[in-house]
Every structure is written in C-alpha cells, then in structure tokens.
Amino acid sequence: MRLLVALPWIVLVSTPFASATLPPMAQDFLESFCIDCHDKASHKAGLDLESLPFTPEQKHNAQRWEALFDRVHSGQMPPKKSDQPDPEARKRLLQLLGSRLSGASLERAQSQGRVPIRRLTRAEYEHTLHDLLHIRTPVRHLFPEDASTAGFDKVAEGLSLSATHFAKYQEAAELALREAVPSAAYAPLKISDDAATIFKRRAEEFKAWRCYVKDDAFVLPSNLFYPYTAVLLPQAPRSGRYRIRVTARALHSEGRPLPLVLSIHNGLSFKPDAPEVSSWHDIPADAPRTITSECVLAAKEQFHVYGWTLPQRDTVRDRQKRDNLAPEDWTGPSLAISRIECEGPLTETGAVESWPPSSYRVLFDTLPLRKLSELPPSGSADSPAPGEPLDPSGKKASAKTDPLVPYSANPEADAERLLRRFVPVAFRGPVAESTLAPYLEAVRSALAAGTPFHEAMIAVYKSVLCSPHLLFLKESPGALDGFAIASRLSYFLWNSPPDEALLLAAASGALGTPGERHRQVERLLQDPKSRRFEQAFLSQWLDLQRIDATAPDAKLYPEFDRSLQESALAETQLFFRELLEGNRSVLECVQSDWTFLNERLARHYGLPPVDGFELRKTSLPAGGPRGGLLTQASILKVTADGAKTSPILRGKWVCERILGVVPPPPPEDVPKIEPDIRGATTIRQQLARHRDSPACASCHALIDPPGFALENFDVIGGWREYYRASQPTGATLEVTLPSRKAQVHRGPSVEPGYWMADGRPFADVQAYKQLLLSDSDALARAFASKLLTFATGAPVQFADREEIESIVAGLREERFGVRSLIHRIIETRAFLHK
C-alpha cells in the first residue's frame, strides 16, 4: 500500500514538467524535442515548459498550450535545423493534446458561454438609435474608439466600459431624442431648379468662378477644381435620407464622359470619402444624362455637386490665355447642368416624409404637437388654448421662444401606453413587468412632481436608450432563444437591432428552424442595411479604415491624387459586394480574372484603357499580376507608409488577414528594420542579415514569402521594377501625370521571387498566388474564422475548429461561395449558442 501511494509522487518528481496530468507520451515528445530551448534556464520566446502546468480547463493556460499545439502542427516547431520527430509521433502528440484542449474548450463554452457579455460598439449604438428613432443624427464621434481584438471591434473581450462611456451615452441619447422630436414645424426639402435658377441663387460667387448659363444649362468649366467648381443646394431641415437628381451633359470633352460627383457639405468641411454620402457618375457628351442618388444628410448639411478632377491638359500659357477670354468663350472640358431636383427626408418606402415625422410617431404615436405657450399649467386638466394652425414652413413657431411639444390630456395613461409600446422594441424582445416597472415609476413620479409631460417622457426615454438592456446583447449560456438569435443575425448583417419581421419570427418560434434562418439571412442580405455589414466587416478585416492613415510623399509619388484613392477604395468595396451577391468563391480573394476599374485606376495599373470615372466590372488580361485582393491599390496602400514598403509589414498583414496565421511578436532585443529610401541598399539585403538570428528565422519563414511576393508593388499600388529614392542616384524614372510627365530618382532594382516556409520557390506574385491556391482549404478556413469572429463577437476557440473544418468540407465542392459560408456560419453551435 505504501508503495502504491508513493508512485504518483515518484512520477511527478521524475518528470521535468510541472504537471503530471500531461500524458506520458506528450511528456516524452516535449522532453526530446522542446525542453532544451524551453526550460527554466533558456525559456526562449518566454516559454518555460518546466514550470507550465497542463490545466486546459483554465482559459489562460489553455491559450499557452493551444499556441504550442499550433506551432507543432504547422511545423514551425521543432525548428527546421533541429532534430525532427517521427511523423507518427507528431501526429499522436497532436491527437492527445487536441482532444484534451478541445474538450476543455467545449466545457468552458457550455458552462460559461464562449462569448462574454458584450456591449454594442459605438457604430452599432449609432445604428440602433437611427433605426429605433428613424433619424440619421451622427453620434458615434462622441465616443472613444472601440478597441480592436482579433482584428475586429465587435469582440466582447476588447469592449471595455468606462465612466466616459456612460456620460457619452447620456449625451448621445439626448441628442438623438431632440432630433426625433422636432421643436418647430418644417417644410420638407423639395426643390426643382433649372439652370437659370441655379445661377441666380449665388450669381456673384458663380461669376467669380467663371461659371455661366448657356443654352439652358449652367456650365461648370474646368478652370477651377474641387472644391470650388461646385453647386451647393439648400440645407437639410432634419437628418434623414434625401434623393437628388441631376441632369447634365459634357461639353468640349472630345466625345469622352466627364465625372460629376455628389458629396456632402456641412458648412465646415467636405466629405467626399464617406461611402454612404458620396457617389460619382459619368456624364456623356452625346446627350444629357439624368442621374439619381440617395444619401444620408444630417440636419443643416447640403448636397454638394461638383466636377471632380475635370481633365486639364493645358499649359500655364493656355491658362493665361483662357483667363483673358469671356467664360462662355472657353472651349475646355466643362459640365453643363440643366436641372437639379432634391427631396427629402424620405421614408423607407422612398416617399417624402409627412408631418409630423415618423421619428415623432415612434415616441409619441398620434399625440398632438402644441406650442409650449398654449399648454395649460402642469397638473391642470384644462385643454390647451386654441392656437392658429401650424404653418408647414415653420414660420408660426420658433423653437427658441415658443417650441412645439407633445401634448397629452391624460399624461399618466399615455405615458404607460407609450412606454409599453416602445420598451420591448428598444430591448429587442418581450419585457418582464419587473423590468418595465422602474421606467413607469420614474415617469409617474416626475408627473406627480409637476414635470411637464413632454419633459418627463424625454427623460424616461433617455434612460431607456442608456439602459443595459439596450447597450448589451442579452445571451445566456447554452442554446440561444429566438430573440437572442434575432439580435445576433441583425447585428451581424445589419449592425443594428432586429426589425419587426425578425422579432415576429422569434416570437413564433420559426427562427428556431434552419429553413427560417436561411430565409431571414437572405432577406437581411437583400436589404440596403446590409451595406453596413459590408463596410464594417471589410474595413476591419482588410484594415481599410486606415486608408487615410498615411499620405504618400509628393516628391516620390507625384502621380497620387484623391481620385486615385477613392477609385482604389471603391474597387475593393465593389469586389467584395460581387463576391457576396454572386456567391463567388473565397478563393477569388487571392486570384480572380476580373475586378472593378475606371479610367483612373486602369491607367494606374497599366491595363487597357477604360473610359469614365464610374467603376465597372472588367476582365483582366491573362497572366498579369492583378486579380484578387492582394494586388489592389487600397490593400497595398494600407500595408505601406507614405514613402516606403516593408515586406515584413505586408507579410504580417497577409498572414493575419488572408492566411489566418498570427506570427508571434519579435523578440524585444531585435532592432527594427527600416527600409533605406535613400536607395543605397534593398530591404532584401537588410533582411538577409536579420534572418541569420535563430530568434528571428522561424517567424520570417512565415512573414517573408507574402511580403516579398508583393515587393513589385509600391506604396500606392503601382507596379515597379525599381525602387524610388529620396536622393539623387544618377538615374531617374519617368512618371505620367494627367497633364504632364515628371521624374523621380531611381533606386535599386526590385528582386522578385522568394520561397515558401516549406522550401518551395516562386518567381513572382503570380506564382505565389498559385502556391496559396494549392491549399484552398486553408484559405477557406481562414475566411470562415474571420466571419465567425465578426458574427459572434468572440475569436474562434479550440472547440470551434471542428465546426470550421465541417464548413470547409461541406463547401469544398461548391468552391467556398461567400454567401454559402455565411449561411453555414449561422448554423454552427458557435453562432446558435452563447
């Protein structure tokens, strides 16, 4: 008996590892191949296996062992230069560790939930206010930026909550409610102006800009550029969606279309780069064209119509000659606008909103609006004094001196009726009496204390909009109920709360069936609100929110301009939309024989000419370097700074965003490599010495291949055979600008080609893409993992890996369609359980 009791102690002290729960076979493997570098003395990369227990039921401990599992599975460990285990030994280790890690991960998910309690992001909160109150008032700028975790700001672990947030929720809710309840009547914006009216509105200013009226058209000449050659329309009376129609034709354009841009002016700055409030259109020369666009305007913002980057090929002498001509004698490219129509705010059906606005009816139903001066004293049962009828122009009421306010003849009963109607919608499901009671008590107490009805209601509505029931997604460990699924679906694909149809499907139990979930996903994706998903997922997955983080050096890259950046960004957005709407393959993110191009982008890429500024789907020449996401100018710009590229940064980006591999951080004692823009040495030469360090070699085996595959692309996505240098090198490169040629200093030649981590060589980016496509499952797995993280608010966990593999296997024959992937994601345990 004494011997049997002592045996566990003997096993424990005879092993170099801290935990006897580690399977003996795993102990033998680690002692043979890992412990020399990862013991107490060496602990390379901060890993001390002698002191690391094996307790995967603890999340932090499990993460350490999962990282070890991944590095052994990928072949990074043991290092290539070290003794290698027998393949069967490696396989057995991975099976043993994988089984334990997966079981512990699943147990944590079932008992605690795989997603911690998650608050709405600032973008989700803004969209929630917009959809609940039928307004479009911007509020996200009031909040601190949400932290990015696992590549997305939706991940619960990174969404902290501070005193600042609580203060800002109060401020945002107040702002939204004041916009929803108008203090004065207003007339909808509805104009229909011909050329003469356009000119008369700002005649002196337009004359100074050399604009004029000719042949029933208002002419914008090319002698002045954005933002000056422009037409500003009247201000929006309130936030909302507005429709604009412009009829125009191109003049003196040699038969080619000219660009007309619609953007937003807020009195202080122009916003051509906001996707929802900006669009560009080609205006033909042979006949007038009428374009129609809908954009969201905040109160007091204006539509801004201008001829963006009208081609200007004349010399200084030509411009001097033109300035001596009468405006109407100028024969350069111009836009002739014959009519502008604008109307709004619009309802969801596209009609112009009636009075009172829908935002008011959401909060106060059919209660009348009265002037404050007409209301009886608080607590009085008298009817309001009869006032003169409201003038839709708003002239009869002043929001400052005598605002309009909701009136109730029976305040307490109306307050309860309105709250019982609004709160379940705001809280995204049925509300218990105990949840509703504090809001009812608050409004009763306020009314009893003499607070006017409208102020009491605004105060309690404000508390509803700042309630944890609204700010946090309600989910309990285990299978989600229908209302929680409805919220997951809507915040995944709309970035906003479920609509009435989703809530009804949840209430009926239909949302618990795969067929109804499939139908609802299709409905959500077909709704214009799915553009929010496209924009949010794409900008975070591909880092496109950083498109303005750097400005290309004007001396090194004189050909860069705003129209190129706008075109590049639109290419990526339209490319992803095509993948989604056409259920095209995820593999086309790596290589496609098509993309979206316009004249500016095609010229930048050195592709066959494309006429016009509007992007259209275009076939790419066979054998060329373009195609897929990796070689799009927007991606290449966000993975570089304004003067230089770095294969390390680009390689890390490709690993994390496209391949789903997160390289470990570099050792603290390794100096950072800065590419030499003086043109003396290449980054390849510098990295050759850097990789000699054993501490760096394993990571660079992952990072360097994609980085060097993209080395033929400069900081703005142009193709290069040579680097550009900031100082004279004795040689120059010629750069083509819209109206002239320029020269920059030529640096060393770019050396394309490299080799994969497993030793396979590639000569250029085309060959590298083919090597990536040879493991299509890995590409689909990485993309599915990104979607699952975005959809659920939690990174992929060890127990989720089996489901990801099931999705990949199930879609292999369908070539991994993006839309099909979304449908598969919402049927996983990870999506349907907390």
Side-chain angles (χ1 to χ4, degrees), residues 546-554 556-557 560 565 633-647 649-650 672-677 713-717 720 724:
R546 296 182 60 251
I547 193 74
D548 285 315
T550 60
D553 188 309
L556 288 173
Y557 297 95
F560 178 80
Q565 178 167 305
S634 63
I635 304 300
L636 295 162
K637 183 177 186 297
V638 300
T639 55
D641 66 19
K644 59 188 181 296
T645 61
S646 166
L649 296 180
R650 278 183 172 167
K672 183 180 179 181
I673 290 182
E674 289 290 348
D676 181 9
I677 64 171
F713 300 95
D714 61 28
V715 303
I716 58 174
R720 66 185 175 190
R724 299 186 187 187

Side-chain angles (χ1 to χ4, degrees), residues 300-317:
K300 299 185 179 180
E301 287 187 332
Q302 305 159 272
F303 274 116
H304 177 213
V305 182
Y306 58 94
W308 195 5
T309 62
L310 288 173
Q312 195 173 34
R313 301 183 177 89
D314 50 340
T315 65
V316 173
R317 183 176 299 176

Side-chain angles (χ1 to χ4, degrees), residues 542-746:
L542 300 180
D543 246 358
L544 294 181
Q545 73 268 28
R546 296 182 60 251
I547 193 74
D548 285 315
T550 60
D553 188 309
K555 292 182 179 179
L556 288 173
Y557 297 95
E559 71 269 41
F560 178 80
D561 58 27
R562 190 71 183 182
S563 65
L564 174 60
Q565 178 167 305
E566 290 297 319
S567 300
L569 191 60
E571 176 193 16
T572 305
Q573 293 166 340
L574 292 171
F575 185 91
F576 182 75
R577 186 173 302 167
E578 177 69 12
L579 293 178
L580 180 61
E581 293 182 351
N583 197 25
R584 301 188 71 105
S585 173
V586 167
L587 304 182
E588 293 190 81
C589 292
V590 170
Q591 179 56 35
S592 66
D593 60 3
W594 57 274
T595 190
F596 283 82
L597 299 174
N598 62 5
E599 178 180 336
R600 183 70 183 87
L601 207 50
R603 184 171 71 245
H604 182 62
Y605 288 168
L607 295 172
V610 173
D611 283 339
F613 201 68
E614 292 181 13
L615 278 81
R616 74 286 319 258
K617 188 178 177 182
T618 308
S619 297
L620 294 170
R626 304 291 175 175
L629 291 171
L630 297 182
T631 55
Q632 292 181 7
S634 63
I635 304 300
L636 295 162
K637 183 177 186 297
V638 300
T639 55
D641 66 19
K644 59 188 181 296
T645 61
S646 166
I648 299 174
L649 296 180
R650 278 183 172 167
K652 182 175 182 289
W653 185 95
V654 173
C655 285
E656 293 178 349
R657 310 289 169 158
I658 305 300
L659 307 182
V661 177
V662 180
E668 294 182 1
D669 57 346
V670 175
K672 183 180 179 181
I673 290 182
E674 289 290 348
D676 181 9
I677 64 171
R678 297 170 300 172
T681 60
T682 67
I683 186 68
R684 184 185 289 260
Q685 293 167 339
Q686 293 174 281
L687 273 175
R689 296 189 296 269
H690 185 70
R691 283 193 309 273
D692 289 339
S693 167
C696 303
S698 62
C699 292
H700 280 281
L702 293 173
I703 294 172
D704 291 355
F708 280 109
L710 298 175
E711 196 65 0
N712 270 122
F713 300 95
D714 61 28
V715 303
I716 58 174
W719 179 263
R720 66 185 175 190
E721 301 288 346
Y722 298 91
Y723 295 99
R724 299 186 187 187
S726 61
Q727 299 176 9
T729 60
T732 59
L733 296 169
E734 188 173 79
V735 178
T736 301
L737 306 180
S739 60
R740 62 184 177 87
K741 301 284 186 180
Q743 289 187 333
V744 296
H745 302 302
R746 194 183 83 184

Side-chain angles (χ1 to χ4, degrees), residues 170 177 226 253 276 318 446 511 521 561 563 632 634 664 820:
Q170 297 283 327
L177 289 167
Y226 160 80
S253 64
E276 192 177 18
D318 292 332
L511 209 53
V521 166
D561 58 27
S563 65
Q632 292 181 7
S634 63
S820 296

Side-chain angles (χ1 to χ4, degrees), residues 272-320:
D273 55 336
E276 192 177 18
V277 297
S278 173
S279 59
W280 49 79
H281 308 270
D282 290 334
I283 303 300
D286 52 354
R289 179 190 178 190
T290 298
I291 60 171
T292 302
S293 182
E294 291 185 5
C295 299
V296 170
L297 300 179
K300 299 185 179 180
E301 287 187 332
Q302 305 159 272
F303 274 116
H304 177 213
V305 182
Y306 58 94
W308 195 5
T309 62
L310 288 173
Q312 195 173 34
R313 301 183 177 89
D314 50 340
T315 65
V316 173
R317 183 176 299 176
D318 292 332
R319 289 196 293 273
Q320 291 172 343

Side-chain angles (χ1 to χ4, degrees), residues 125-443:
Y125 185 67
E126 179 182 82
H127 290 314
T128 297
L129 293 184
H130 287 179
D131 288 3
L132 277 177
L133 302 181
H134 298 195
I135 59 170
R136 288 297 180 266
T137 306
V139 297
R140 77 176 70 182
H141 65 281
L142 299 174
F143 297 90
E145 286 193 17
D146 295 313
S148 179
T149 304
F152 298 101
D153 66 7
K154 284 176 173 276
V155 174
E157 292 175 359
L159 288 170
S160 61
L161 196 59
S162 65
T164 299
H165 282 94
F166 286 113
K168 294 304 181 181
Y169 286 129
Q170 297 283 327
E171 184 178 348
E174 178 82 18
L175 187 65
L177 289 167
R178 296 302 175 186
E179 176 72 14
V181 182
S183 59
Y186 61 84
L189 180 61
K190 190 155 186 162
I191 62 172
S192 182
D193 288 350
D194 55 23
T197 306
I198 297 170
F199 189 80
K200 287 177 183 177
R201 187 182 296 126
R202 297 166 69 190
E204 293 305 315
E205 189 173 8
F206 284 143
K207 284 180 180 178
W209 294 349
R210 302 180 66 78
C211 303
Y212 59 93
V213 174
K214 181 179 181 180
D215 298 332
D216 298 324
F218 174 79
V219 181
L220 297 173
S222 63
N223 60 319
L224 288 170
F225 281 67
Y226 160 80
Y228 306 105
T229 309
V231 179
L232 283 170
L233 275 66
Q235 293 182 341
R238 71 186 298 263
S239 67
R241 198 160 193 88
Y242 290 77
R243 182 185 301 119
I244 184 172
R245 290 189 182 91
V246 181
T247 302
R249 69 180 186 276
L251 297 180
H252 315 307
S253 64
E254 301 174 357
R256 302 172 62 215
L258 295 179
L260 181 147
V261 176
L262 303 176
S263 190
I264 304 303
H265 181 238
N266 63 9
L268 297 175
S269 62
F270 297 95
K271 302 194 301 184
D273 55 336
E276 192 177 18
V277 297
S278 173
S279 59
W280 49 79
H281 308 270
D282 290 334
I283 303 300
D286 52 354
R289 179 190 178 190
T290 298
I291 60 171
T292 302
S293 182
E294 291 185 5
C295 299
V296 170
L297 300 179
K300 299 185 179 180
E301 287 187 332
Q302 305 159 272
F303 274 116
H304 177 213
V305 182
Y306 58 94
W308 195 5
T309 62
L310 288 173
Q312 195 173 34
R313 301 183 177 89
D314 50 340
T315 65
V316 173
R317 183 176 299 176
D318 292 332
R319 289 196 293 273
Q320 291 172 343
K321 178 180 177 182
R322 178 193 59 209
D323 291 342
N324 293 324
L325 294 173
E328 57 269 23
D329 292 333
W330 168 243
T331 58
S334 306
L335 283 174
I337 300 175
S338 55
R339 191 164 199 81
I340 296 180
E341 301 174 46
C342 182
E343 57 185 355
L346 306 175
T347 66
E348 290 188 0
T349 64
V352 176
E353 194 169 61
S354 60
W355 176 264
S358 56
S359 60
Y360 175 82
R361 295 193 294 273
V362 164
L363 296 171
F364 291 100
D365 198 18
T366 58
L367 294 182
L369 277 162
R370 295 286 186 263
K371 292 182 182 180
L372 185 61
S373 62
E374 297 175 355
L375 298 185
S378 297
S380 170
D382 297 338
S383 299
E388 54 192 322
L390 295 177
D391 186 337
S393 70
K395 293 180 180 178
K396 299 298 183 182
S398 166
K400 292 182 179 180
T401 60
D402 197 7
L404 297 176
V405 296
Y407 168 73
S408 170
N410 193 350
E412 188 169 321
D414 281 332
E416 180 171 351
R417 173 177 64 86
L418 294 174
L419 285 171
R420 288 187 178 279
R421 187 183 73 151
F422 180 77
V423 172
V425 178
F427 291 174
R428 303 182 288 274
V431 175
E433 277 298 313
S434 58
T435 301
L436 186 63
Y439 301 105
L440 296 176
E441 179 58 31
V443 76

Side-chain angles (χ1 to χ4, degrees), residues 331 532 609 681 730 769 796:
T331 58
R532 299 171 182 170
T681 60
K769 290 179 183 179
V796 172

